[in-house]
Amino acid sequence: MREFVPASRIAGQSSSSPVGGRSRVDRRRAVFIRLFAVGGIALAPAPAWAEYLLQPGDEVEITLSGIPDAKQRSTISVDGTASVPFAGIMSAGGLTLDAFRSAVQDRLSNRNVRRFTGSGLEVLSAIDREEVGVYVVAYRPVYLIGDVSKPGEQRFRPGMTVQQAIALAGGYDIMRIRMENPFLFSADQKAEVESLRAETAQLTLRALRLSAELESDDKFSPSGLKLGVDPELQSKITSLEIEQFSRRQADVFKERESLKRQLGHAQAQLSDLTDQRQKEEEGVRADTTDFNSVSELLKRGQVVMQRVTDARRSLLYSSTRLLQTTAQIAQVRKEVESIGRKREKLEDDRRTTVAGELQDALVKLQKARSRLAVAVEKLVYSGMIKSQLVQGVAGRPEITITRRSGQGGGRIKAAEGAELEPGDLVEVSLEASYFREPSLGTGDIFGGGKKAQADRSPAHEGH
C-alpha cells in the first residue's frame, strides 16, 4: 500500500510530543544522515589538488544518501555542464569540486523527493544538505606519444607521475615502428655490409682491369689498393681479375696474330703474282713480236701457214695467262683489303665491347657504393640502438608535457618524477645522440663521421 505522508509525519510526531519539537525518530534520522555523509566522504577518493578545476571530460558522481536510485554519474560536456539528478543541467567546468558540490547542495537542499520507508511506504520528504554527495570518479585521461610501447591515452589517477604513466604504456620502446629487433637486425645488416663490400671490391678491380684493356696495356697488376675487405679475399679477387685480363689479352693476341699471318700470306701471294704478271707481260710482248714477224714472212712466202698458226696459238696462251694472273692479283688485293678491315674491326669491336663493359661496371660500382653507404648507416644506427638498450635509458629520456589548462599551462620540460594533471599530453623521446656511436671503420663511404656526429649531437636537435 502506498501512502503520501507529509514530512512532519516522517519526523514521528506523537500526541505526547510537542508539535514544534524533534522526535527520537527525527533525531535518529539526522544522526544517520550525518554518519552516512561523513562515511561517504571518508570513502570517496580525495581530489588530487584542492584547487583543481573541473574540466570537460571529467566524470563526476552525484549521490543522495537514502535514495540509491538517485545515484548518477555524469561526464562534464564540452560546454562545461553536467547532468544532476532532480536539478537538470548545471555548470561545472572551471569550478573546484567543493564549489560544484556546494552549488549542487544549494540547488537540491529542501527539495521534496519521494522515498520509501522501512515498511514500504512511499513518502515525500525534503533533501537535507548533508545528504548530497559530489565526487570525481574519473578524471580526463592523459596521452602519451613517442618512444613508448603503447602510445595513446591512459586513465589518470590522482598523484600520477610521468614515470607511472610510461609504465602503464608498456615502458620505453625506441624500436617502436622504427626498426625490428636491433640485435637480429644488426647481425643481418653486418652480413649485408660485408657482402656489399666484397661486391664493391670486385667491381672496383673489374673497372681497373677493363680500363687497362681499353688502354691496351700489356700488364694488369693492381697493388697498394685498400678496398676494405679481408686481405685474403682481395688477393683472390685480384688474382681472378689478373687471370681474366691475361686470358682476354691472349685471345686478342691470337686474333691479331691470325689476321697478321693471313695478311702476310696474302701480301706474299700478291708479290708473287705481281712478278709472275710482269714475266707474262714480257712473254706476251715476245709472242706478239714473234707473231708479227711470222705474219710478215708469210706474206713474202718465206714460211708456211703452220708456223703462223703456232705463233698465234702461243700469243693467245700467253695473253690468257696474263689475264688470269691479273684476275688473281685483283682477288688477292681484295683479300688483303678485307684482312685489313678485319684487323680494324677487331680493334674497334674490342674497344666498343670493353668500353661497354667498363661503363656497366662503373654504374654497378656506383650503385654498390650507394647501397653500401646506406647499409653502413643502418648498421651504425642499429649499433647506437643496441648501445642504448644495453646501457639503459634511466634518466635519459627527453620528456615534454603539453598542458592546456590549470596552473602553468603550455609546453613544459619535465622529469620522470613530475606529477601529471588530467588531460596532459606527454611526449617521450629517447634520442640516439645520447649514446656513443660504435666504430665500424666505414671510411670515406660513410661520409666523414665527425661532422655526422656533430649534426646528431643534442646541440643540433633544436630543443
Side-chain angles (χ1 to χ4, degrees), residues 22 33 44 46 48 69 78 85 105 107 146 169 172 184 188 213 246 300 312 331 363 375 388 408 432 438-439 457-458:
R22 295 176 64 123
I33 290 172
D69 293 341
V78 292
Q105 289 174 340
R107 180 74 67 86
Y172 298 109
L184 298 178
D188 294 340
E213 288 186 24
S246 300
R300 298 175 187 174
R312 182 183 293 114
Q331 184 176 357
V363 171
Q388 175 174 332
S439 176
S457 66

Short mmCIF file of all heavy atoms in Angstrom, two decimals, residues 22 33 44 46 48 69 78 85 105 107 146 169 172 184 188 213 246 300 312 331 363 375 388 408 432 438-439 457-458:
data_model
loop_
_atom_site.label_atom_id
_atom_site.label_comp_id
_atom_site.label_asym_id
_atom_site.label_seq_id
_atom_site.Cartn_x
_atom_site.Cartn_y
_atom_site.Cartn_z
N ARG A 22 11.53 18.03 18.04
CA ARG A 22 12.01 16.93 17.18
C ARG A 22 11.86 15.63 17.93
O ARG A 22 12.27 15.52 19.08
CB ARG A 22 13.47 17.15 16.79
CG ARG A 22 13.69 18.38 15.93
CD ARG A 22 15.15 18.58 15.68
NE ARG A 22 15.70 17.46 14.91
CZ ARG A 22 16.31 17.62 13.75
NH1 ARG A 22 16.46 18.81 13.23
NH2 ARG A 22 16.80 16.58 13.13
N ILE A 33 21.97 10.40 8.90
CA ILE A 33 22.35 11.16 7.69
C ILE A 33 23.76 11.70 7.83
O ILE A 33 24.58 11.63 6.93
CB ILE A 33 21.34 12.29 7.44
CG1 ILE A 33 20.00 11.70 7.00
CG2 ILE A 33 21.87 13.29 6.40
CD1 ILE A 33 18.88 12.73 6.92
N ALA A 44 35.22 8.29 -0.23
CA ALA A 44 35.39 8.83 -1.58
C ALA A 44 36.84 9.20 -1.82
O ALA A 44 37.55 9.58 -0.90
CB ALA A 44 34.50 10.07 -1.75
N ALA A 46 39.95 11.34 -2.53
CA ALA A 46 40.24 12.75 -2.35
C ALA A 46 40.73 13.34 -3.66
O ALA A 46 41.42 12.67 -4.42
CB ALA A 46 41.31 12.93 -1.27
N ALA A 48 42.94 15.35 -6.38
CA ALA A 48 44.40 15.43 -6.49
C ALA A 48 44.91 16.75 -5.95
O ALA A 48 45.95 16.82 -5.32
CB ALA A 48 44.81 15.25 -7.94
N ASP A 69 18.59 4.92 -5.95
CA ASP A 69 18.27 5.12 -7.36
C ASP A 69 18.66 6.52 -7.84
O ASP A 69 18.68 6.78 -9.05
CB ASP A 69 16.78 4.90 -7.62
CG ASP A 69 16.38 3.45 -7.41
OD1 ASP A 69 17.29 2.59 -7.43
OD2 ASP A 69 15.19 3.18 -7.21
N VAL A 78 31.51 19.36 -23.30
CA VAL A 78 32.45 20.36 -23.83
C VAL A 78 32.03 21.78 -23.46
O VAL A 78 32.88 22.68 -23.43
CB VAL A 78 32.55 20.22 -25.36
CG1 VAL A 78 33.23 18.93 -25.73
CG2 VAL A 78 31.18 20.31 -26.02
N PRO A 85 20.89 14.87 -10.89
CA PRO A 85 19.54 14.35 -10.62
C PRO A 85 18.71 15.35 -9.84
O PRO A 85 19.20 16.02 -8.93
CB PRO A 85 19.81 13.08 -9.81
CG PRO A 85 21.18 13.25 -9.24
CD PRO A 85 21.93 14.04 -10.26
N GLN A 105 24.44 21.22 -3.74
CA GLN A 105 23.73 21.18 -2.46
C GLN A 105 22.74 22.33 -2.35
O GLN A 105 21.63 22.16 -1.85
CB GLN A 105 24.75 21.21 -1.32
CG GLN A 105 25.55 19.93 -1.17
CD GLN A 105 26.65 20.05 -0.13
OE1 GLN A 105 27.07 21.16 0.21
NE2 GLN A 105 27.14 18.90 0.35
N ARG A 107 21.26 23.78 -4.80
CA ARG A 107 20.15 23.55 -5.73
C ARG A 107 19.18 22.50 -5.18
O ARG A 107 17.96 22.62 -5.36
CB ARG A 107 20.70 23.11 -7.09
CG ARG A 107 19.65 22.84 -8.16
CD ARG A 107 19.05 24.13 -8.69
NE ARG A 107 20.03 24.92 -9.43
CZ ARG A 107 20.29 24.75 -10.72
NH1 ARG A 107 19.64 23.83 -11.41
NH2 ARG A 107 21.19 25.51 -11.30
N GLY A 146 55.28 9.07 -28.70
CA GLY A 146 56.73 8.98 -28.82
C GLY A 146 57.24 7.59 -28.54
O GLY A 146 56.62 6.59 -28.91
N ALA A 169 52.02 2.51 -20.04
CA ALA A 169 52.09 2.43 -21.51
C ALA A 169 53.07 1.39 -21.99
O ALA A 169 53.42 1.36 -23.18
CB ALA A 169 52.46 3.80 -22.08
N TYR A 172 59.50 2.27 -22.00
CA TYR A 172 60.17 2.88 -23.15
C TYR A 172 60.34 1.85 -24.26
O TYR A 172 60.54 0.67 -24.02
CB TYR A 172 61.55 3.41 -22.75
CG TYR A 172 61.51 4.49 -21.71
CD1 TYR A 172 61.95 4.26 -20.41
CD2 TYR A 172 61.01 5.75 -22.04
CE1 TYR A 172 61.91 5.26 -19.45
CE2 TYR A 172 60.96 6.76 -21.08
CZ TYR A 172 61.41 6.50 -19.79
OH TYR A 172 61.36 7.49 -18.86
N LEU A 184 69.04 -8.72 -33.84
CA LEU A 184 68.93 -9.53 -35.04
C LEU A 184 69.20 -8.68 -36.29
O LEU A 184 69.88 -9.10 -37.22
CB LEU A 184 67.54 -10.17 -35.13
CG LEU A 184 67.18 -11.13 -33.99
CD1 LEU A 184 65.75 -11.65 -34.19
CD2 LEU A 184 68.16 -12.28 -33.94
N ASP A 188 72.11 -9.24 -39.27
CA ASP A 188 71.78 -9.31 -40.70
C ASP A 188 72.42 -8.17 -41.47
O ASP A 188 72.94 -8.37 -42.58
CB ASP A 188 70.25 -9.26 -40.88
CG ASP A 188 69.57 -10.49 -40.32
OD1 ASP A 188 70.26 -11.51 -40.13
OD2 ASP A 188 68.36 -10.43 -40.06
N GLU A 213 92.51 -2.78 -70.18
CA GLU A 213 92.24 -3.35 -71.50
C GLU A 213 91.94 -2.26 -72.52
O GLU A 213 92.39 -2.32 -73.66
CB GLU A 213 91.05 -4.32 -71.42
CG GLU A 213 91.36 -5.62 -70.70
CD GLU A 213 90.19 -6.59 -70.77
OE1 GLU A 213 89.37 -6.46 -71.71
OE2 GLU A 213 90.08 -7.46 -69.90
N SER A 246 94.68 -11.55 -68.50
CA SER A 246 95.66 -12.30 -69.30
C SER A 246 94.97 -13.16 -70.36
O SER A 246 95.42 -13.23 -71.52
CB SER A 246 96.52 -13.18 -68.39
OG SER A 246 97.21 -12.39 -67.44
N ARG A 300 105.47 -12.79 -147.50
CA ARG A 300 106.54 -12.90 -148.51
C ARG A 300 106.67 -14.33 -149.04
O ARG A 300 107.44 -14.59 -149.95
CB ARG A 300 107.87 -12.46 -147.88
CG ARG A 300 107.87 -11.00 -147.43
CD ARG A 300 109.15 -10.71 -146.73
NE ARG A 300 109.14 -9.36 -146.13
CZ ARG A 300 110.10 -8.90 -145.35
NH1 ARG A 300 111.14 -9.67 -145.07
NH2 ARG A 300 110.01 -7.67 -144.86
N ARG A 312 100.43 -17.73 -133.45
CA ARG A 312 99.17 -17.15 -132.93
C ARG A 312 98.73 -17.90 -131.66
O ARG A 312 98.28 -17.30 -130.70
CB ARG A 312 98.09 -17.25 -133.99
CG ARG A 312 96.78 -16.62 -133.53
CD ARG A 312 95.68 -16.79 -134.56
NE ARG A 312 95.99 -16.03 -135.75
CZ ARG A 312 96.25 -16.58 -136.94
NH1 ARG A 312 96.26 -17.90 -137.07
NH2 ARG A 312 96.52 -15.83 -138.00
N GLN A 331 92.03 -10.33 -107.06
CA GLN A 331 91.38 -11.07 -105.98
C GLN A 331 92.22 -11.02 -104.70
O GLN A 331 91.70 -10.84 -103.60
CB GLN A 331 91.15 -12.51 -106.41
CG GLN A 331 90.39 -13.35 -105.38
CD GLN A 331 90.09 -14.74 -105.87
OE1 GLN A 331 90.40 -15.08 -107.03
NE2 GLN A 331 89.49 -15.55 -105.02
N VAL A 363 78.73 1.81 -63.45
CA VAL A 363 77.37 2.05 -62.96
C VAL A 363 77.05 1.12 -61.79
O VAL A 363 76.52 1.54 -60.75
CB VAL A 363 76.34 1.88 -64.09
CG1 VAL A 363 74.92 1.91 -63.54
CG2 VAL A 363 76.51 2.96 -65.14
N ALA A 375 73.72 0.79 -46.10
CA ALA A 375 73.83 -0.35 -45.19
C ALA A 375 74.70 0.00 -43.99
O ALA A 375 74.39 -0.37 -42.85
CB ALA A 375 74.40 -1.56 -45.93
N GLN A 388 72.25 1.76 -26.72
CA GLN A 388 71.22 2.42 -25.91
C GLN A 388 70.50 1.40 -25.04
O GLN A 388 70.27 1.63 -23.86
CB GLN A 388 70.25 3.13 -26.83
CG GLN A 388 69.07 3.75 -26.13
CD GLN A 388 68.24 4.56 -27.11
OE1 GLN A 388 68.75 5.06 -28.09
NE2 GLN A 388 66.98 4.66 -26.84
N GLY A 408 50.29 26.89 -14.87
CA GLY A 408 51.49 26.64 -15.66
C GLY A 408 51.22 25.91 -16.94
O GLY A 408 51.89 24.92 -17.24
N ALA A 432 68.95 9.10 -29.89
CA ALA A 432 70.13 8.25 -30.10
C ALA A 432 71.42 9.02 -29.88
O ALA A 432 72.47 8.45 -29.67
CB ALA A 432 70.11 7.64 -31.50
N PRO A 438 79.29 3.26 -32.21
CA PRO A 438 80.34 2.26 -32.32
C PRO A 438 81.18 2.52 -33.56
O PRO A 438 80.68 2.95 -34.59
CB PRO A 438 79.56 0.93 -32.44
CG PRO A 438 78.25 1.34 -33.01
CD PRO A 438 77.96 2.73 -32.47
N SER A 439 82.48 2.26 -33.45
CA SER A 439 83.38 2.48 -34.59
C SER A 439 83.31 1.28 -35.52
O SER A 439 83.56 0.15 -35.11
CB SER A 439 84.81 2.66 -34.10
OG SER A 439 85.69 2.79 -35.18
N SER A 457 74.34 15.65 -32.51
CA SER A 457 74.53 15.94 -31.10
C SER A 457 73.34 16.73 -30.56
O SER A 457 72.60 17.35 -31.30
CB SER A 457 75.84 16.73 -30.92
OG SER A 457 75.71 18.00 -31.53
N PRO A 458 73.14 16.72 -29.21
CA PRO A 458 71.99 17.44 -28.64
C PRO A 458 71.95 18.90 -29.00
O PRO A 458 70.89 19.51 -29.09
CB PRO A 458 72.17 17.22 -27.12
CG PRO A 458 72.97 15.96 -27.02
CD PRO A 458 73.88 15.95 -28.22
#
